[in-house]
Amino acid sequence: MTSTDQKGPAVLEMSALKDGNSAISADAVAVDIHDNVGDDRNVPKKKTKTKEEELNDLKKELEMDEHKVPLDELCQRYDTNRVKGLRPEQVVEYLARDGYNELTPPETTAWWVKFAKQLFGGFSTLLWIGAILCFIAFTIQSVEQSNPQKDNLFLGVVLAVVVIVTGCFTYYQEAKSSAIMDSFKTMVPQMAVVIRNGEKLTLNARELVVGDVVEVKGGDRVPADLRIVSTHGLKVDNSSLTGESEPQSRSAEFTHDNPLETKNIAFFSTSVLEGAAMGLVVNTGDRTVMGRIANLASGLEIGETPIAKEIAHFIHIITSVAVFLGVTFFIVAFPLGYDWLDAVLFLIGIIVANVPEGLLATVTVALTLTAKRMASKNCLVKNLEAVETLGSTSVICSDKTGTLTQNRMTVSHMWFNSEIYEADTSEDQTGESFDKSSSEWSSLARIAGLCNRAMFKPNQDDSVLILARECTGDASETALLKCVELSVGSVEDMRARNQKVAEIPFNSSNKYQVSIHETEDANDPRYLLVMKGAPERILDRCSTILLNGEEVNMDENLRAQFNDAYLTLGGMGERVLGFCHYFLPADQYPVGYNFNTDEVNFPLDNLCFVGLISMIDPPRAAVPDAVAKCRTAGIRVIMVTGDHPITAEAIAKSVGIILPDSKTVEQIAEERGVHVSQVDPREANAAVLHGSDLKDMSEADLDKFLSSHDEVVFARTSPQQKLIIVEGCQRMGRIVAVTGDGVNDSPALKRADIGVAMGISGSDVSKQAADMILLDDNFASIVTGVEEGRLIFDNLKKSIAYTLTSNIPEISPFLLFIIANIPLPLGTITILFIDLGTDMVPAISLAYEEAETDIMKRLPRDPKRDKLVNDRLISNSYGQIGMIQASAGFFTYFVILAENGFLPSRLFGIREDWDDENIQDLEDSYGQEWTFDARKQLEYTCHTSFFVSIIIVQWADLLICKTRKNSIFHQGLKNHHLSFGLFFETALACLLIYTPGLNKGLRLYPLKINWWAPALPFSLIIFIYDEVRKYLIRRYPGGWVERETYY
């Protein structure tokens, strides 16, 4: 095998049992055997590969021949001795050449770099720019003016504090979801028993080298990739690699071309469940299967999340608007007679006024609240931005076992008396599918109970349902145990009444299990032999069959019936077992007979066939509805499994991934009686693709396949193929969610737009690589998450629309102040109170808004066209509602000044005199003289009234932002957080205005109650205008109003 660090890592990739209860077929993995199988570890060093080339190598299929080469030849290749092991000088040489047997940790990002990204990335950048411009403006004012106002300094400090606080909050939220490799470290065995120079040593596993002879026993972790030399009942748990907990037996025999299915290879970090073995180390460290997966997972780049892209797009829009307005008025300032210093201050002021200071905190808090809500629904989100990503998902690549199914084998059908019966899996056994008192069923149930090593774990509460009780034993035997317990009563009592006297355990070569029992009939001294196993093997050993309570000779007709039943059950994707029995003649096998199971001294042929029992890992109850919801929502569900295509297709049809009337190319060809190649693939809506066919596909072929079929199942896939499928979907512009539970899934989980790990059955590594963890391992929880993700996207739109609307009444006073030379209608400090005070809680309350009725009937959003902030949202917030709000503010401003003697005609061009401290006798429209202090008191009263008018029109804005299409009368006022938001902004405004001492410091003055009234009609206008707009959208879908105003 080519496995040298001079040549780069051996092209080793994991492709093991991902779903189903049997190992993946040879077709799941391409195995390329080197022409030259000699040791090539001393070849000249090649040029260093780029990171991309290394990752592409890691994606390739497993290449090795160590499982095929005769053991003596393998020992010669590694210059080792299978009895004495390596010599000390060889160990030193190999360690120097290959390095320690440990995983190379990836480059990690320092905590301070991550923190800096939170402080200076995305939306924070815009706020920092605003803060810096404020400090520049204050510096210019300090130089030019003897007594400068400190508004800009105050604003700059507040902006900086907002960024720092929200940055710390986000960093804290996401600090937990780091270091994929840390979880790999916990899987690495610490010590190993190794034979070197004929001596048995216990040393640190990191010191192992290729060619070492290692001993492992039950309870150990396999310390490196091993070729098994000898074994005594060794069983390993590959679930750390595959997510599949079925124990795998290991032996010294070469049993399969596929190295991942052959029994003579044990993989680094897998657990030894029982038995003992001696093995030859064939790969260490990064060159092991686990090392390959670790490097692939840690080497993949993580792209930007959709919400991060949307926020970046939003920043570009806001920045463009701010810079456009700022530069425009910078240029306009010169013709209006301002000097360059004033023009620069105007430029800075307008840009800062456009920055929505509170929006960063609003988005962060909204995402956090949704993450908490999702956690209560069994979706634990590790990365805040992943909350929205799930809502954008257009393709879900899902595992089968444990996600779509219950990960619990259950008896589904049985065949006896020449009929197929559906199993009754109800706890109270009320399902009348067959006569449970029949002698044939009694015989079949007796064999299933006695020829069975599964047992219920002790000390379980009797109130626990039988189907939910924990058992020891493999999945199939557990299913049989529960079925018999439900149908005929206590299996433990049955076994006590029919004592076992001999047993031949199941093995892969015989494919049957036999046990011999005393019978409970005191009048019958005969022993009962019971056997179960592969149906065709069992049938071959039978000469009679039990029919209607009698043994009849097996004939061709009965064999044909058996074959029909076997094909029917197998075609439903079920795992089928055959059962037979035989009463041993008392004269040949008297009581006390010494049965020898090594040199068999009892009959194993001419038995009596009793029946078949089939099992399947049934779909979770909630999955079909969840898949149907996905269809309605335009989300494509693709099954990616390591299981057999027939089983995969059966489960896909039962949960609705493939519809009942959909046909594959193979089914169309069968109906027409033609070869598959004569059928146009586009005619088939559904497709089940085998891993061996996927292996031969180019990227273009895969893209064509994915776009040609709506309903797709990938069966017998290897883990690197799962990664290739994800990348294929992403090339089509889809946002992909992937589920996985094994270490081998970690590359696909990391590459996906959102990786979803299993909380119960998932390995630590898969949980680290994922963005989200399903606490209940249930596919239906993903659909709940999709709904929450879509809801937060909708609600963020609403929050942003609400927040941006007040930008116009905040900016327009400043613009009119420049153009019309009027006293400043609204101060900088007051704007801050709106953005960081009164608007914050109402904006966050929109995150609690319930979904509009159509949320799961819409197609997934197109990330290229359906933006978080689009031109229609800007048009609606700035050009429509914002203008009405600004009108309300100016109306109130002019009313108050007019009541105090300054009619609008007097205000234009008055600004310079108004702000001049030396003018103490400025006349109003009626000839009254105003001192500087009196003018400023009136100006601050105007600031307060403008502030109050914005609060009042924002009441209506908050109500209209509850929905984007529905009427508020349809949506209702069930969001109590929003009701609190309305109360909060009003109460805070009153607190700021009417608290003695506080108002003076904040330059706000108590208003007469009647000065709250001028803005009320505008609030009503906003509400009526928007209700009419939404009515027209609903009344004329796709019409001009929807095209121009629906955001």
Side-chain angles (χ1 to χ4, degrees):
M1 174 183 173
T2 309
S3 61
T4 159
D5 65 340
Q6 279 95 337
K7 289 192 74 171
V11 184
L12 252 183
E13 186 47 87
M14 172 64 209
S15 161
L17 176 63
K18 186 66 204 85
D19 281 296
N21 297 289
S22 60
I24 294 178
S25 74
D27 298 325
V29 180
V31 184
D32 296 325
I33 307 303
H34 299 297
D35 295 328
N36 174 18
V37 294
D39 189 1
D40 57 356
R41 289 175 180 265
N42 299 311
V43 295
K45 189 171 181 179
K46 289 187 178 181
K47 68 173 185 177
T48 307
K49 290 185 177 180
T50 65
K51 185 175 180 181
E52 187 176 349
E53 286 172 333
E54 285 182 359
L55 283 176
N56 287 334
D57 276 352
L58 288 168
K59 290 178 191 175
K60 291 178 185 173
E61 304 286 357
L62 177 59
E63 294 180 6
M64 65 186 292
D65 66 346
E66 279 86 347
H67 60 304
K68 290 187 170 186
V69 176
L71 206 50
D72 290 336
E73 187 180 326
L74 196 63
C75 290
Q76 191 178 345
R77 180 187 296 184
Y78 296 135
D79 193 15
T80 187
N81 183 298
R82 70 165 93 172
V83 178
K84 292 187 175 181
L86 293 169
R87 300 184 304 278
E89 62 271 18
Q90 287 177 295
V91 174
V92 174
E93 179 192 338
Y94 294 170
L95 264 179
R97 182 190 68 196
D98 296 336
Y100 283 111
N101 176 35
E102 58 191 3
L103 303 180
T104 306
E107 296 174 12
T108 53
T109 308
W111 70 267
W112 60 269
V113 174
K114 293 180 186 174
F115 184 51
K117 282 182 180 176
Q118 296 294 351
L119 280 187
F120 301 105
F123 201 80
S124 305
T125 310
L126 189 60
L127 297 190
W128 277 120
I129 291 169
I132 291 164
L133 290 176
C134 286
F135 293 138
I136 292 170
F138 176 71
T139 305
I140 293 171
Q141 286 174 319
S142 300
V143 171
E144 293 294 315
Q145 299 171 12
S146 57
N147 188 21
Q149 288 192 339
K150 295 181 180 177
D151 289 12
N152 282 318
L153 176 64
F154 183 56
L155 180 57
V157 169
V158 169
L159 286 174
V161 168
V162 167
V163 178
I164 291 166
V165 169
T166 49
C168 291
F169 179 74
T170 312
Y171 175 76
Y172 170 74
Q173 288 292 323
E174 296 183 3
K176 309 162 214 168
S177 58
S178 60
I180 288 177
M181 290 300 287
D182 286 349
S183 49
F184 275 100
K185 288 173 191 170
T186 65
M187 306 175 71
V188 177
Q190 298 303 310
M191 305 303 289
V193 177
V194 61
I195 297 169
R196 285 182 180 168
N197 219 18
E199 291 182 34
K200 189 180 287 189
L201 309 170
T202 300
L203 44 80
N204 196 311
R206 72 192 288 267
E207 295 174 26
L208 291 181
V209 295
V210 170
D212 262 330
V213 177
V214 173
E215 286 185 8
V216 290
K217 62 183 187 305
D220 291 348
R221 281 193 187 276
V222 179
D225 284 354
L226 303 180
R227 163 76 182 265
I228 303 296
V229 174
S230 62
T231 176
H232 301 286
L234 186 73
K235 282 192 175 180
V236 293
D237 175 10
N238 283 342
S239 62
S240 62
L241 282 174
T242 66
E244 196 65 54
S245 56
E246 187 90 1
Q248 304 291 311
S249 61
R250 286 292 176 264
S251 65
E253 289 82 36
F254 160 57
T255 58
H256 210 293
D257 281 346
N258 180 352
L260 294 153
E261 286 192 30
T262 186
K263 293 183 178 295
N264 62 349
I265 298 283
F267 296 106
F268 175 59
S269 92
T270 56
S271 302
V272 179
L273 296 176
E274 58 184 67
M278 189 169 284
L280 186 69
V281 175
V282 294
N283 273 307
T284 59
D286 289 339
R287 290 170 294 281
T288 61
V289 170
M290 177 67 74
R292 300 285 297 173
I293 294 169
N295 285 323
L296 183 55
S298 59
L300 290 169
E301 296 293 330
I302 304 173
E304 260 193 317
T305 60
I307 194 71
K309 292 175 186 172
E310 293 304 323
I311 288 172
H313 175 254
F314 170 54
I315 291 168
H316 292 151
I317 291 176
I318 292 294
T319 307
S320 302
V321 170
V323 171
F324 171 75
L325 285 174
V327 171
T328 301
F329 282 91
F330 175 75
I331 295 167
V332 166
F334 293 108
L336 292 174
Y338 295 103
D339 61 26
W340 71 270
L341 207 57
D342 283 337
V344 168
L345 289 175
F346 292 156
L347 170 72
I348 292 171
I350 290 169
I351 290 174
V352 171
N354 267 283
V355 175
E357 293 87 353
L359 206 54
L360 176 62
T362 301
V363 169
T364 305
V365 173
L367 289 172
T368 306
L369 292 173
T370 305
K372 284 189 175 179
R373 195 160 63 228
M374 286 172 77
S376 70
K377 296 178 180 179
N378 293 314
C379 297
L380 182 65
V381 179
K382 292 164 55 185
N383 173 358
L384 283 184
E385 291 181 348
V387 170
E388 191 281 324
T389 307
L390 197 56
S392 308
T393 299
S394 52
V395 173
I396 299 174
C397 292
S398 177
D399 260 350
K400 180 179 74 69
T401 301
T403 309
L404 296 171
T405 64
Q406 297 174 20
N407 199 16
R408 183 174 68 194
M409 288 297 278
T410 305
V411 172
S412 53
H413 293 92
M414 53 269 294
W415 178 79
F416 58 88
N417 261 350
S418 298
E419 281 191 52
I420 292 177
Y421 299 97
E422 194 169 331
D424 181 5
T425 53
S426 59
E427 281 289 331
D428 55 4
Q429 290 292 289
T430 52
E432 292 295 329
S433 56
F434 60 90
D435 181 7
K436 297 186 180 69
S437 63
S438 70
S439 60
E440 294 82 13
W441 168 241
S442 298
S443 297
L444 187 57
R446 180 170 58 191
I447 303 168
L450 297 178
C451 190
N452 189 333
R453 302 178 79 176
M455 293 186 296
F456 290 109
K457 288 184 178 177
N459 306 321
Q460 293 190 71
D461 194 331
D462 290 339
S463 62
V464 177
L465 299 178
I466 290 171
L467 289 172
R469 288 182 192 169
E470 291 184 23
C471 302
T472 57
D474 70 35
S476 300
E477 294 205 324
T478 297
L480 293 171
L481 172 69
K482 290 179 178 179
C483 174
V484 176
E485 184 93 7
L486 278 171
S487 180
V488 301
S490 172
V491 174
E492 190 178 349
D493 291 349
M494 179 199 290
R495 291 171 181 172
R497 295 193 304 269
N498 299 268
Q499 288 292 329
K500 186 190 296 182
V501 294
E503 181 178 39
I504 300 176
F506 181 89
N507 65 59
S508 56
S509 56
N510 293 336
K511 294 201 171 177
Y512 62 73
Q513 177 182 345
V514 177
S515 59
I516 299 172
H517 300 260
E518 298 170 353
T519 61
E520 56 187 293
D521 187 349
N523 300 320
D524 188 350
R526 293 177 299 172
Y527 286 106
L528 173 66
L529 179 148
V530 288
M531 179 188 284
K532 79 166 189 286
E536 66 280 6
R537 295 290 183 93
I538 300 297
L539 191 73
D540 289 345
R541 295 183 175 275
C542 294
S543 58
T544 60
I545 185 168
L546 191 66
L547 277 180
N548 301 316
E550 295 181 6
E551 281 191 36
V552 297
N553 287 327
M554 184 77 71
D555 58 24
E556 288 307 312
N557 179 42
L558 290 170
R559 284 182 184 276
Q561 288 181 31
F562 161 85
N563 279 324
D564 288 344
Y566 187 19
L567 289 171
T568 300
L569 297 173
M572 291 191 287
E574 299 183 3
R575 187 177 185 186
V576 189
L577 291 175
F579 297 81
C580 66
H581 68 198
Y582 182 65
F583 284 94
L584 298 172
D587 54 345
Q588 296 177 41
Y589 305 95
V591 175
Y593 182 82
N594 184 24
F595 292 98
N596 188 336
T597 55
D598 293 323
E599 295 176 12
V600 177
N601 59 355
F602 50 88
L604 291 176
D605 292 301
N606 296 317
L607 311 177
C608 175
F609 192 84
V610 178
L612 299 170
I613 294 180
S614 67
M615 290 152 283
I616 197 164
D617 180 7
R620 289 176 177 269
V623 168
D625 280 347
V627 172
K629 251 188 178 180
C630 285
R631 275 188 184 280
T632 310
I635 299 168
R636 188 177 180 189
V637 181
I638 295 174
M639 183 195 287
V640 184
T641 175
D643 210 344
H644 193 280
I646 293 174
T647 309
E649 185 177 346
I651 293 293
K653 283 184 172 174
S654 67
V655 299
I657 291 174
I658 295 179
L659 293 175
D661 54 351
S662 295
K663 290 176 182 172
T664 63
V665 173
E666 292 78 11
Q667 289 165 337
I668 294 171
E670 189 180 337
E671 284 177 7
R672 295 178 184 173
V674 297
H675 192 266
V676 172
S677 59
Q678 293 176 263
V679 179
D680 184 348
R682 288 172 295 186
E683 292 182 51
N685 197 40
V688 180
L689 189 70
H690 200 287
S692 60
D693 298 323
L694 176 59
K695 168 176 66 73
D696 300 327
M697 283 184 167
S698 65
E699 283 189 0
D701 291 336
L702 178 59
D703 294 351
K704 185 180 177 183
F705 174 81
L706 287 168
S707 57
S708 300
H709 305 283
D710 293 332
E711 299 161 8
V712 177
V713 171
F714 291 95
R716 288 293 197 233
T717 52
S718 62
Q720 65 272 32
Q721 285 177 335
K722 193 168 188 177
L723 179 60
I724 289 163
I725 292 162
V726 170
E727 291 177 337
C729 293
Q730 288 174 329
R731 281 195 301 276
M732 294 167 66
R734 304 285 185 263
I735 293 177
V736 185
V738 170
T739 70
D741 50 13
V743 172
N744 61 333
D745 291 321
S746 53
L749 288 169
K750 196 172 175 194
R751 170 64 82 197
D753 295 287
I754 179 161
V756 182
M758 302 297 115
I760 300 170
S761 63
S763 61
D764 289 344
V765 178
S766 67
K767 291 175 188 175
Q768 289 286 358
D771 304 294
M772 192 176 98
I773 297 168
L774 292 186
L775 300 178
D776 59 354
D777 287 15
N778 194 344
F779 179 84
S781 298
I782 301 176
V783 182
T784 306
V786 169
E787 196 164 345
E788 288 289 347
R790 288 188 173 192
L791 179 58
I792 194 59
F793 188 77
D794 278 8
N795 288 348
L796 280 177
K797 267 183 178 281
K798 295 170 185 178
S799 287
I800 289 170
Y802 171 80
T803 306
L804 290 186
T805 304
S806 58
N807 264 16
I808 292 299
E810 289 170 2
I811 297 167
S812 52
F814 196 64
L815 302 183
L816 208 62
F817 168 71
I818 298 168
I819 298 168
N821 250 333
I822 61 173
L824 186 64
L826 186 66
T828 307
I829 306 297
T830 325
I831 290 173
L832 270 186
F833 290 145
I834 297 168
D835 288 351
L836 295 173
T838 58
D839 269 3
M840 279 282 283
V841 172
I844 291 168
S845 74
L846 286 167
Y848 290 96
E849 194 59 42
E850 288 183 7
E852 294 183 54
T853 49
D854 65 347
I855 195 163
M856 287 302 278
K857 293 177 183 173
R858 301 199 298 252
L859 292 175
R861 73 178 183 89
D862 181 346
K864 292 178 182 172
R865 290 189 295 116
D866 190 5
K867 297 291 186 184
L868 181 66
V869 178
N870 51 32
D871 53 354
R872 296 182 298 284
L873 188 147
I874 294 291
S875 165
N876 189 66
S877 294
Y878 279 13
Q880 298 162 52
I881 308 301
M883 289 299 182
I884 300 172
Q885 290 195 347
S887 303
F890 282 115
F891 179 70
T892 309
Y893 167 79
F894 285 124
V895 163
I896 291 174
L897 282 170
E899 281 193 20
N900 281 277
F902 289 94
L903 297 176
S905 56
R906 176 73 180 95
L907 294 172
F908 293 102
I910 202 177
R911 184 179 71 86
E912 284 187 23
D913 290 345
W914 184 280
D915 288 336
D916 191 339
E917 290 183 40
N918 299 316
I919 299 176
Q920 296 292 337
D921 54 357
L922 184 68
E923 291 187 359
D924 62 18
S925 302
Y926 300 102
Q928 299 174 96
E929 292 183 348
W930 289 75
T931 63
F932 177 77
D933 288 340
R935 294 198 303 271
K936 281 296 165 185
Q937 188 172 334
L938 180 58
E939 181 185 321
Y940 296 148
T941 304
C942 288
H943 289 188
T944 310
S945 67
F946 211 107
F947 169 59
V948 164
S949 70
I950 291 175
I951 300 292
I952 291 168
V953 288
Q954 281 290 74
W955 292 344
D957 190 28
L958 185 62
L959 292 175
I960 67 171
C961 284
K962 275 174 65 69
T963 63
R964 295 194 295 147
K965 188 180 281 188
N966 288 353
S967 165
I968 189 173
F969 300 106
H970 183 269
Q971 186 81 350
L973 290 170
K974 290 175 280 189
N975 182 355
H976 300 305
H977 299 92
L978 185 138
S979 305
F980 172 75
L982 284 169
F983 168 78
F984 174 82
E985 66 177 334
T986 311
L988 180 60
C990 292
L991 181 75
L992 294 172
I993 294 167
Y994 296 111
T995 303
L998 183 63
N999 52 14
K1000 291 285 192 295
L1002 301 176
R1003 298 188 204 146
L1004 295 172
Y1005 278 75
L1007 286 186
K1008 297 176 186 175
I1009 197 67
N1010 58 308
W1011 283 348
W1012 286 67
L1016 289 172
F1018 292 90
S1019 197
L1020 188 60
I1021 289 167
I1022 288 171
F1023 184 80
I1024 294 169
Y1025 170 81
D1026 207 66
E1027 277 294 306
V1028 171
R1029 180 183 70 85
K1030 288 172 187 169
Y1031 169 76
L1032 293 173
I1033 288 173
R1034 295 192 303 275
R1035 183 74 179 80
Y1036 304 103
W1040 181 86
V1041 176
E1042 180 169 351
R1043 291 196 309 273
E1044 296 299 323
T1045 69
Y1046 180 66
Y1047 57 84

